Amino acid sequence: MSILTSVKSYVTHYVGHEDDPKGNPNTANTAGTGRMTDQDNTGLPTKHFWSADYATTTFMDQGLMTARTDGMDPVPDTMTVYDIYADRARRTPDKPVLHFVENGAWTYRTGREVLNDIRKTAKGFLHYGIKKGDAVAFMCRTSYEWDIIDAAVLSIGGVIATIYDTDSAEQIRFIVNNSDARLLVVQTADMKAKADGAEKDCPTLERISCLESGLLQELQAYGESISDAELDQRINSIRKSDLCSIVYTSGSTAAPKGVEMTHEHYCQLARNLNAFIPNLTYDPEGSILLFLPQAHTFARAISYGVIYGEMQVYISSGLATLLPDLQESKPTVIIGVPRVFEKVYNAASQKAGHGIKGKIFSGAAEAARKYMTDISVQGWPTKRDAMRRAMYDPIVYNSLRQVLGGKTKWIVSGGAPLDPQLLGFFRGANVPVYEGYGLTETTAPCAFSPLGTPYHKGSVGIPFPGFTIRIAQDGEVQIKGTCVFHRYHKNDSATEDAFTPDGWYATGDLGRISRDGFLSLTGRKKDLIITAGGKNVSPRPIEEAIERSEIVSQALILGDKRPFISALVTLNEEALRPWLASKGLDQNMSTQEAAENAVVKAEVQKYVDKANEGVSRAESVRKFIILPEEFTQENGLMTPSMKVIRPKVIKRYADLLNTRMYVSKKTKATRR
C-alpha cells in the first residue's frame, strides 16, 4: 500500500470534518474544548462525569478554587492488603497473575499459587516471632520475591520499611534505626555487603537475611510448623487502620522522611482505581509491565490496584531489559516516570539519525505536537494538521507504538513533571501517554488523566477518586482524602509542618485548577528561585526548554540569592556520539572534551536562547556550564525515582559555581 493510500484511509477513518471532531477514537481525544483559563471561577460549581458513577465537581470553598472526584465508600474495617491477594485467588485461582523471569526464562504464578506462597512465607515469619507492629526493613528490586515478602509480612500485621536497592550503607542504617526494624531482608549478596555490620549500629536489628542465599525457601520450610488455623487467627486480627508500611521519601529537597501507611490507604486506592476505570483493570486479557522500584509508592500502589482487578502483572528485570520485556508482555497499561519517556523519545530520534530519516522524524514530531496544540486550544485539529499527522502515522508513529508492545491503551507518567512538548508528541503520535500526579504522602496518585478526559496541555488531570484538591492563596496545591497519610514516623515537627491549620496536606507544589477540574502544576515552592534582585523564578519550564536539545541530558537552573540565573547542563552520552559525527567532529572525544568544545557549547546555547525567548530578562539564563558527568543515582545526585537532588548538586559543584559561574567584579579585576 502506498503512503498516499495509507493517508487517505487513515484520514477517512479518523479525522472526519474539521468542525465535527466527534467519533475520533484515538488517544489525542478531542472531547471538550481543552481551553484552560488561569483560575477562571465563573459559572461554578461545575460537574463532569469522566466515569459513569463518579462525578468530578469544581467549586469555590472559602474563596479557594477546589475540585473533588467522588470515590467508593470506605473499606470494611477488616479489609487488609492480604485480602487483595486472597480475593484474586478466589476469583481467578488457575489463571496467571504474576509473570517474571526465573532462570533466564519467563514463567508465571496463578492466583492460587501466589496466595499459597504468601501464606507459606507468612508462616515462616510467624515462626521467627514477628508480632503485630514489628518492622521488617526490606531492600529489594522489583521482583516476584518483593510481592511475596511484602504481602507475607503485611498479612500478619508486620510493617515493611522500604529501602531502595540503590541506597547506601548509611541510608540502610538510617531506615533500620528509624523504623526500629527487627529484621533486615536484602535481595542480593552485594546488598548484604553494604548492610554488613548494621547489627552493631542498629540496636533493634537482630538479623540480616538474604534472598539470594535461600531465605524464601528457609522461611517456607520453617513455616511448616505453623498451622493454617494459627496463621488465620493472626490474619483475622489485623484491621484496616493498622500500620503496614513506612515508606521513605526519596529526599530530593531534604532528608528522607518515613511516611506511615495503613492497610486502608492501599486498599481504598485499589478499590477506587478499579471502580473508576473498570474497562482497563477488569480486562482479563489486559496486562501491566512493572519496572519502577516497588520501594516507591507509585509502583507498589498500582500493583495492588491491578491485582485487585483482573489484569496480569509482568515484572521486568529492570530498565536494561525494558525493550525485550515490552515485547514479551505486550502491556495494555504502562506506568513510568518522565526520565523513561525522555529516553524512549531520544532513542527513537537517535535511531532516525541526521539524514533523510532524521528529517522525517523531526517533521513527524512537529506534526504530532501541532496537532495536540490544536486540540488544546480549540478542541479539534485543522484539516491541514490532521492530514499531516495522518501522513506520518504509518511511517513513524506506528513503529513507536510497536516498540511499546503494540497493545497499549493507557500509559501513565508520574513521579515528576513531564515536559508538555514531550507529552504532546506522544499523544499526537497516538501513543496513549497520560500524565498523573501524586506523592508518597497521598499513596501515589492524587490526580490522574483517565481515558476519555480531554487533552489539556500541561495538565496532570482531575482529582483521583476520593480526593479533594484546592489551590491556596499563595498558589500551593493542598489535598484531602482517605488516602492522605496521617503522620511521618517519629517526626512530629515535620508532621505538623505538613498540614494546614484546617487539616489539609500542604504539598509544597504550586498549581492551578481549571473550571472543569483539571490540575496543572506550575512549580515547587522549595525550588522557587529568588534572585538577589528579588525576582521569583520557577526553574522547571526553563530546564525543560534546554533539555529539548538532543545532546542535553539534564539542565539544572540556579540563581537563588545570586545576581542572575544560570544553568548546569549535562550531556546525553548516547546521543552525543552520532551528533558529533554528523558535525564532522571526533565522535570518540571524551565527555570532558565535549563539554569544553565550542561547537557543543553553541548547540546548547541555541536551546538556552529558545528558553530565554519565553521569559523576562531577569528570568533569562545568562550563563551556563556543561558538566562532564550526568546526575545519577550512582553519584548520589538523583533519587531512585529519577529526580535530581538539587541541594546535593549545588553542594557538589559549589567551588565551580563560586569560581566560574558567579565571579565577583572584584575577583575579575584581581585576576587581570
Side-chain angles (χ1 to χ4, degrees):
M1 181 184 292
S2 70
I3 291 177
L4 181 59
T5 304
S6 298
V7 171
K8 287 180 178 178
S9 173
Y10 190 90
V11 172
T12 301
H13 188 69
Y14 287 117
V15 175
H17 298 291
E18 180 178 355
D19 57 354
D20 182 17
K22 295 179 181 178
N24 187 342
N26 60 54
T27 59
N29 199 309
T30 56
T33 65
R35 190 185 303 276
M36 295 193 71
T37 55
D38 193 9
Q39 298 299 134
D40 179 6
N41 60 11
T42 58
L44 296 181
T46 63
K47 183 175 288 190
H48 295 81
F49 284 86
W50 305 118
S51 181
D53 301 316
Y54 301 94
T56 297
T57 306
T58 311
F59 56 98
M60 298 298 293
D61 182 28
Q62 301 180 49
L64 301 179
M65 194 75 160
T66 307
R68 178 186 65 243
T69 298
D70 297 336
M72 293 191 72
D73 293 337
V75 302
D77 185 55
T78 56
M79 185 176 181
T80 68
V81 169
Y82 173 81
D83 293 306
I84 291 175
Y85 292 90
D87 179 67
R88 181 63 181 265
R90 178 184 58 79
R91 289 183 291 111
T92 62
D94 301 315
K95 293 182 179 179
V97 173
L98 297 179
H99 299 251
F100 56 98
V101 174
E102 186 176 57
N103 299 323
W106 281 92
T107 187
Y108 66 82
R109 297 289 185 271
T110 64
R112 181 186 286 116
E113 289 169 337
V114 170
L115 184 64
N116 189 42
D117 271 347
I118 291 169
R119 289 180 63 85
K120 289 194 298 184
T121 307
K123 288 179 179 181
F125 281 117
L126 277 181
H127 178 273
Y128 181 82
I130 294 297
K131 299 179 177 64
K132 181 179 176 179
D134 283 350
V136 176
F138 191 25
M139 184 180 195
C140 184
R141 288 188 290 270
T142 294
S143 60
Y144 179 72
E145 291 78 11
W146 207 106
D147 285 81
I148 300 305
I149 294 290
D150 172 61
V153 171
L154 269 55
S155 72
I156 60 173
V159 179
I160 286 287
T162 59
I163 304 176
Y164 287 106
D165 62 286
T166 55
D167 278 353
S168 66
E170 180 184 0
Q171 289 168 317
I172 293 170
R173 285 156 173 77
F174 169 80
I175 290 173
V176 169
N177 276 325
N178 184 260
S179 64
D180 297 317
R182 288 181 57 193
L183 289 178
L184 169 58
V185 175
V186 300
Q187 183 179 24
T188 68
D190 288 342
M191 294 177 190
K192 190 174 186 302
K194 285 197 284 187
D196 276 346
E199 300 99 319
K200 298 177 182 178
D201 304 322
C202 307
T204 63
L205 185 62
E206 300 166 359
R207 179 181 172 186
I208 302 172
S209 298
C210 182
L211 289 167
E212 203 171 68
S213 301
L215 172 64
L216 190 60
Q217 294 75 16
E218 178 188 343
L219 283 168
Q220 293 182 354
Y222 276 121
E224 292 177 2
S225 65
I226 304 294
S227 68
D228 284 339
E230 185 177 352
L231 174 62
D232 288 335
Q233 183 179 14
R234 173 68 70 84
I235 289 172
N236 293 335
S237 73
I238 312 305
R239 295 293 179 265
K240 71 177 183 180
S241 57
D242 289 334
L243 181 67
C244 74
S245 192
I246 305 170
V247 182
Y248 288 84
T249 60
S250 53
S252 61
T253 57
K257 298 185 287 286
V259 180
E260 292 189 358
M261 310 300 297
T262 67
H263 289 272
E264 183 177 25
H265 287 127
Y266 290 121
C267 292
Q268 187 70 22
L269 183 136
R271 293 169 81 239
N272 279 331
L273 181 71
N274 283 272
F276 205 86
I277 52 173
N279 56 321
L280 286 174
T281 59
Y282 280 104
D283 176 7
E285 301 303 317
S287 64
I288 184 171
L289 179 65
L290 286 183
F291 53 86
L292 296 179
Q294 285 176 286
H296 191 281
T297 290
F298 185 24
R300 185 181 184 185
I302 296 301
S303 179
Y304 292 149
V306 297
I307 290 172
Y308 190 69
E310 292 189 10
M311 295 177 66
Q312 299 178 43
V313 179
Y314 284 77
I315 302 170
S316 173
S317 301
L319 290 177
T321 61
L322 182 56
L323 290 180
D325 290 348
L326 284 164
Q327 297 307 307
E328 172 69 27
S329 60
K330 299 191 182 306
T332 53
V333 174
I334 300 172
I335 62 170
V337 294
R339 193 76 179 142
V340 172
F341 299 111
E342 289 165 8
K343 286 183 177 294
V344 170
Y345 177 86
N346 290 338
S349 177
Q350 291 161 28
K351 186 176 181 181
H354 294 87
I356 184 64
K357 288 184 178 180
K359 291 179 180 178
I360 291 173
F361 182 84
S362 296
E366 177 57 31
R369 287 191 285 262
K370 181 64 170 65
Y371 182 93
M372 294 314 298
T373 298
D374 291 347
I375 298 294
S376 184
V377 172
Q378 64 193 32
W380 57 83
T382 65
K383 276 188 176 180
R384 179 178 181 275
D385 289 336
M387 290 191 70
R388 282 186 68 210
R389 174 186 186 249
M391 178 183 72
Y392 286 112
D393 189 83
I395 55 177
V396 177
Y397 308 148
N398 183 59
S399 297
L400 187 57
R401 294 194 294 271
Q402 295 308 313
V403 167
L404 297 172
K407 292 185 177 180
T408 51
K409 297 178 181 178
W410 196 46
I411 304 175
V412 181
S413 175
L418 181 65
D419 182 354
Q421 293 272 29
L422 191 59
L423 179 60
F425 163 75
F426 281 117
R427 289 288 288 279
N430 212 10
V431 177
V433 177
Y434 291 76
E435 193 165 14
Y437 166 62
L439 306 98
T440 304
E441 290 86 346
T442 61
T443 324
C446 59
F448 79 142
S449 303
L451 294 176
T453 52
Y455 175 76
H456 286 316
K457 186 176 181 179
S459 168
V460 294
I462 60 173
F464 191 84
F467 281 96
T468 304
I469 301 176
R470 76 180 185 188
I471 305 300
Q473 293 289 355
D474 65 353
E476 183 178 38
V477 178
Q478 298 176 347
I479 302 174
K480 266 191 175 182
T482 301
C483 293
V484 174
F485 84 122
H486 303 300
R487 65 183 65 84
Y488 293 114
H489 192 63
K490 296 195 295 190
N491 197 336
D492 292 340
S493 62
T495 301
E496 185 177 356
D497 291 343
F499 291 92
T500 65
D502 57 347
W504 292 70
Y505 170 52
T507 66
D509 291 313
L510 302 170
R512 65 180 186 273
I513 294 174
S514 69
R515 289 181 62 255
D516 49 355
F518 283 76
L519 173 68
S520 292
L521 301 179
T522 58
R524 182 151 180 83
K525 290 174 76 171
K526 286 185 178 179
D527 287 347
L528 200 66
I529 294 170
I530 305 176
T531 67
K535 180 66 178 178
N536 288 3
V537 179
S538 183
R540 192 57 201 150
I542 305 172
E543 291 167 350
E544 287 174 346
I546 298 172
E547 288 169 357
R548 287 169 194 155
S549 165
E550 65 177 297
I551 65 170
V552 170
S553 177
Q554 300 142 323
L556 192 72
I557 297 300
L558 305 170
D560 197 49
K561 299 179 179 62
R562 299 283 196 173
F564 58 85
I565 298 298
S566 67
L568 291 176
V569 176
T570 70
L571 297 172
N572 181 338
E573 183 77 19
E574 291 181 3
L576 178 64
R577 302 302 161 193
W579 182 88
L580 288 171
S582 73
K583 301 298 179 183
L585 301 173
D586 178 12
Q587 65 177 1
N588 296 315
M589 70 172 67
S590 69
T591 310
Q592 178 70 56
E593 291 172 324
E596 297 170 356
N597 184 276
V599 179
V600 173
K601 287 182 178 179
E603 176 68 11
V604 174
Q605 183 68 59
K606 280 167 44 180
Y607 284 85
V608 169
D609 292 343
K610 289 180 181 179
N612 288 343
E613 289 174 2
V615 299
S616 68
R617 175 164 172 76
E619 299 170 287
S620 64
V621 177
R622 309 278 185 86
K623 191 174 181 179
F624 67 87
I625 293 175
I626 301 175
L627 302 174
E629 64 173 349
E630 291 188 72
F631 309 138
T632 65
Q633 294 178 53
E634 288 70 28
N635 61 23
L637 302 181
M638 180 176 275
T639 71
S641 55
M642 300 186 185
K643 288 179 282 197
V644 176
I645 307 174
R646 183 177 293 269
K648 287 189 177 181
V649 173
I650 293 173
K651 182 177 180 180
R652 184 184 184 97
Y653 295 105
D655 288 344
L656 182 73
L657 295 174
N658 292 328
T659 59
R660 285 185 54 195
M661 190 79 83
Y662 296 103
V663 183
S664 68
K665 293 180 179 178
K666 181 181 292 186
T667 303
K668 289 180 180 179
T670 302
R671 287 179 177 174
R672 290 194 190 99

